[in-house]
Amino acid sequence: MKDKVVIVTGGARGIGASAAAAMAGQGAKIVIADLLEEDGRKTAAEHGGLFVKHDVTSEESWQAVVAAALEAHGRIDGLVNNAGVASNLLIEKESLEYFEKVLKINLSGVFLGLKAVLEPMKAAGGGSIVNISSAAGLTALPGTAGYGSSKWGVRGLTKIAALEFGPYRIRVNSVHPGMTYTAMTSQHGAQVGEGMFPLAALGRVGVPDEIGAAVSFLISDAASYVTGAELAVDGGWTAGEVVMLDQVTAQS
């Protein structure tokens, strides 16, 4: 990771900030791109990075982020498409307006990011892109009409980009966090602690640093032969239905 220049969207806090910390700790030069200016500047300063106020739904804003990264460092080696919003409404309750808003941020934002960094990464001789999807992009979860649809879309777009960008030595992978304790998920009931999330095989929610470590691995040269992959970091949530071992023993 040493001296790799990596843009992290939604990097002001949560998973994005943890990914930035993990990569900066290995010598990467981080560009934090986020609408949250105060938190973003603080996170960037903690890691000796650059902050750029950024709207992932705006093509012009993407051009500004890329230009700032190139002006500061002369190249772009990595991109973490992390910015996103959640939804927890049933289809019958979710409006078309909000459904399309979620898709625009979570999916169109990733699409614009892929387009924005392609030429700079070509010029650099290659690179690595990590798109943050979700466990909701691996399995159907009720109450996630817009969110789940967007994250399934990110999963598919990642594989398409991996095939198209591969000839330029640009790797593209997706990370699928399970329930992870962040400012966003805490509003929807996420709690830290053993036994607090029995739907996962490990029985707990994750913490941002666990997701950040996976992101850092995929950006790094340690994952040089990994592209088009989907990495679930979900405590076994999407592995299958959790059945307590004592129940299995009792039935056998």
Side-chain angles (χ1 to χ4, degrees), residues 9 34-35 160 182:
T9 70
D34 204 307
L35 284 172
I160 293 166
T182 65

Side-chain angles (χ1 to χ4, degrees), residues 163-200:
L163 295 177
E164 294 186 4
F165 292 10
Y168 307 115
R169 298 297 180 262
I170 301 170
R171 298 182 294 104
V172 190
N173 295 287
S174 58
V175 167
H176 298 254
M179 185 63 75
T180 306
Y181 188 80
T182 65
M184 183 170 69
T185 61
S186 65
Q187 297 174 5
H188 299 287
Q191 299 181 56
V192 174
E194 295 296 330
M196 298 303 296
F197 192 62
L199 292 177

Side-chain angles (χ1 to χ4, degrees), residues 1-3 21-28 213 216-217 220:
M1 292 292 295
K2 183 172 174 55
D3 294 330
M23 293 184 291
Q26 298 181 56
S216 180
F217 163 69
S220 79

Side-chain angles (χ1 to χ4, degrees), residues 72-148:
H73 302 298
R75 59 187 291 132
I76 296 172
D77 303 290
L79 167 65
V80 181
N81 273 314
N82 168 72
V85 294
S87 65
N88 63 338
L89 297 171
L90 298 174
I91 292 171
E92 63 179 315
K93 299 292 186 180
E94 188 161 320
S95 68
L96 175 62
E97 180 182 15
Y98 189 68
F99 181 84
E100 291 180 336
K101 175 183 177 180
V102 174
L103 288 180
K104 187 173 184 180
I105 296 170
N106 292 4
L107 182 55
S108 297
V110 171
F111 169 76
L112 291 174
L114 292 169
K115 288 176 66 71
V117 300
L118 179 56
E119 290 304 321
M121 284 190 179
K122 283 183 182 179
S128 179
I129 299 170
V130 175
N131 298 325
I132 305 300
S133 179
S134 168
L138 294 172
T139 189
L141 299 175
T144 64
Y147 182 76

Side-chain angles (χ1 to χ4, degrees), residues 3-9 28-33 48-54 60-80 113 116-121 124:
D3 294 330
K4 288 186 181 295
V5 179
V6 186
I7 298 170
V8 183
T9 70
K29 298 175 180 178
I30 304 299
V31 178
I32 300 292
L50 171 70
F51 171 77
V52 183
K53 191 171 182 179
H54 179 42
E60 292 76 15
S61 186
W62 270 108
Q63 291 169 356
V65 169
V66 167
L70 292 174
E71 181 178 359
H73 302 298
R75 59 187 291 132
I76 296 172
D77 303 290
L79 167 65
V80 181
V117 300
L118 179 56
E119 290 304 321
M121 284 190 179

